[in-house]
Amino acid sequence: MPFSFANPDEATRPLHLVDAAGAEAFLAGRTEAERAWLTASGFAGKLGQLHLLPGADGAPAGAVLGLGATSGRRRGRFHVARAVADLPEGGWHLDGALSPAEAEEAALGWLLATYRFTRYKSTETPKARLRVPDGVDAARVLAIAQGEALTRDLINTPAADMGPAELEDAFVALAGQFGATTRVIRGDELPAEGFPMIHAVGRASARPPRLLDLRWGAEGPALTLVGKGVCFDTGGLDLKAAAGMGLMKKDMGGAATVMGLARMIMALGLRLRLRVLVPAVENAVSGNAMRPQDILTSRKGLTVEINNTDAEGRLVLADALTLADEEKPDLLVSMATLTGAARVAVGPDLAPFYSDDDGVAGAIAAGGAAVADPVWRMPFWDPYETLIEPGIADLDNAPSGGMAGSITAALFLRRFVTETPRYAHFDIYGWQPKAEPARPKGGVGQGARAILAALPGLLGL
């Protein structure tokens, strides 16, 4: 969806940002009429308190938004975005002491608060427009917002309209928008081209599996992004219960997120060589579906015992990661809605990630903190390696015991990255379970902005 800021020459009204500690001083500095109005309304700078300030003609002359406790103790993020849906139509500007990072967060949050998924139902969009705060790079914020909107749109689209072929269409359209090249390997071409596990996971569906490959940029360091594109996951022959299948349209959230990140990178014209790999499949049930205790041979040559057909995401990622690793990029990142264990560990708001490289991990963590995209480092815990070694094959796709599920999945993937020293894996949720500022209920990107913020330091951009 298109985003926009207020025109530079548009008249704007102030949105005063006041925290609880500054409420008394703010009230003291207002006119007697405004002070009486706000006092009668109970304004005390509490988080989310929003009051319009009446002008002499009765029309709103501005508004005041409470920010609650001081920024160091304030819970959540995108607090300015709380006001967007309730402000009258027209131009607005922010009035309050904001650091450069806070101003950029406020501007991005404002745009994202106007996001609506309208493919199947028209929905009114907030009409309040923000004047770009001083010092904020409007083009950069717009590029980030558009990348996030792409991610949300892809995840929100139900599987009937977002199968492997439709994901391919979106992938190719993205490439065409920025002059990138693509290659697609489909159906029975996959095993012949060396991708047997992608084929094994997707062959039971009437919608053939495929590997999507995008390249962009002719110079600079090499960055490869790999995203899990399971467009719907029934669980295969180890069929999910209805409750577990309800949100499986989002099981391509890793693909959606790397595509959104790729859009940000290309729109910003970063000087790097970008590659994006998406194994796009549907994990379905039919007579030729893979079975429990089948043994698959991966692109890398490692054999994998299938002990649960519902642990399919790591299989398609493994073949794609092997391909990525063969080029030895300067940085390799995989993203996937991979395990329920990650949700149990950190909940829906944090994006857990794994890396053996302290520099990579530190840069991503710092990037996430700087741009209000929370991430949390998890350990590649070597002592758990034995859990993914079944004995009859090199690897087990679903270790028994029910413990450390996110870690063992990450360890499984790491076995397929042996030539690229700097690798990070994200086990994301990709879904906002209830509406929060700038994040309506539904599909959501996680980790992409943290990675984008980390790239200059990691790749010397």
Side-chain angles (χ1 to χ4, degrees):
M1 65 174 294
F3 294 107
S4 63
F5 289 110
N7 293 325
D9 56 353
E10 181 178 359
T12 59
R13 290 168 285 194
L15 175 62
H16 303 283
L17 306 178
V18 181
D19 62 26
E24 185 176 345
F26 174 79
L27 291 171
R30 307 314 298 172
T31 66
E32 184 176 348
E34 288 179 338
R35 184 164 56 253
W37 169 256
L38 291 172
T39 300
S41 300
F43 180 76
K46 295 178 181 179
L47 182 60
Q49 280 188 308
L50 177 67
H51 296 286
L52 297 177
L53 299 175
D57 59 356
V64 56
L65 175 67
L67 295 182
T70 57
S71 58
R73 297 172 52 200
R74 196 174 298 139
R75 297 177 180 176
R77 50 197 162 122
F78 294 125
H79 295 303
V80 172
R82 293 172 180 271
V84 177
D86 295 322
L87 289 174
E89 182 176 357
W92 294 82
H93 64 269
L94 302 181
D95 179 68
L98 296 176
S99 69
E102 289 170 334
E104 182 170 307
E105 178 190 337
L108 177 61
W110 193 294
L111 295 182
L112 294 180
T114 69
Y115 170 84
R116 297 293 185 272
F117 182 60
T118 58
R119 178 167 177 171
Y120 304 98
K121 180 181 178 180
S122 60
T123 304
E124 186 174 350
T125 302
K127 298 298 193 295
R129 299 178 298 277
L130 177 68
R131 188 172 74 196
V132 182
D134 292 342
V136 170
D137 184 337
R140 176 180 175 83
V141 174
L142 285 166
I144 293 170
Q146 293 287 9
E148 171 65 15
L150 172 62
T151 295
R152 294 180 182 185
D153 284 348
L154 291 171
I155 296 174
N156 284 329
T157 304
D161 294 324
M162 188 52 65
E166 291 82 7
L167 187 57
E168 176 189 334
D169 290 344
F171 190 87
V172 172
L174 174 64
Q177 188 174 355
F178 294 98
T181 61
T182 57
R183 181 181 182 224
V184 181
I185 304 171
R186 302 179 188 86
D188 291 339
E189 299 171 355
L190 287 163
E193 293 277 354
F195 304 100
M197 295 206 296
I198 298 175
H199 182 261
V201 171
R203 71 191 181 206
S205 174
R207 304 193 284 184
R210 58 207 69 202
L211 177 65
L212 314 178
D213 189 349
L214 175 152
R215 292 181 184 271
W216 175 86
E219 58 183 9
L223 168 66
T224 298
L225 307 175
V226 179
K228 173 186 169 184
V230 178
C231 295
F232 194 81
D233 180 18
T234 66
L237 290 177
D238 289 309
L239 195 67
K240 293 179 182 289
M245 213 181 295
L247 275 180
M248 283 302 99
K249 71 174 185 178
K250 78 170 185 68
D251 212 19
M252 39 64 71
T257 302
V258 298
M259 289 171 65
L261 175 56
R263 193 195 190 288
M264 297 175 198
I265 289 169
M266 293 187 290
L268 293 171
L270 300 188
R271 184 183 172 277
L272 52 77
R273 290 173 291 133
L274 175 67
R275 189 180 194 186
V276 183
L277 295 169
V278 170
V281 304
E282 180 178 39
N283 187 22
V285 178
S286 71
N288 68 340
M290 63 177 179
R291 297 163 293 270
Q293 298 195 348
D294 278 356
I295 294 180
L296 306 180
T297 301
S298 67
R299 177 180 180 86
K300 199 171 186 65
L302 294 172
T303 55
V304 180
E305 183 178 4
I306 306 304
N307 281 309
N308 191 324
T309 62
D310 195 18
E312 84 298 330
R314 66 200 71 186
L315 302 177
V316 299
L317 285 173
D319 273 354
L321 281 170
T322 300
L323 175 64
D325 190 50
E326 290 165 4
E327 283 195 346
K328 305 177 184 178
D330 296 290
L331 179 63
L332 173 58
V333 179
S334 59
M335 303 196 81
T337 52
L338 203 61
T339 71
R343 311 291 77 75
V344 172
V346 299
D349 203 38
L350 280 170
F353 75 99
Y354 297 80
S355 181
D356 282 322
D357 188 302
D358 290 342
V360 169
I364 291 173
V371 298
D373 188 12
V375 298
W376 196 264
R377 187 184 187 184
M378 299 278 280
F380 276 127
W381 187 244
D382 291 336
Y384 290 163
E385 287 277 3
T386 57
L387 298 178
I388 61 172
E389 297 169 347
I392 192 172
D394 294 317
L395 294 170
D396 183 341
N397 84 316
S400 61
M403 295 187 180
S406 181
I407 297 175
T408 55
L411 290 171
F412 181 97
L413 295 179
R414 189 177 66 169
R415 292 289 188 97
F416 297 88
V417 181
T418 58
E419 305 302 316
T420 307
R422 298 201 296 175
Y423 168 56
H425 162 64
F426 280 75
D427 190 346
I428 64 173
Y429 190 45
W431 190 260
Q432 186 67 33
K434 63 178 183 178
E436 297 285 355
R439 290 157 290 153
K441 181 179 179 179
V444 69
Q446 292 183 294
R449 293 185 294 107
I451 296 168
L452 184 70
L455 289 180
L458 288 176
L459 298 180
L461 303 179

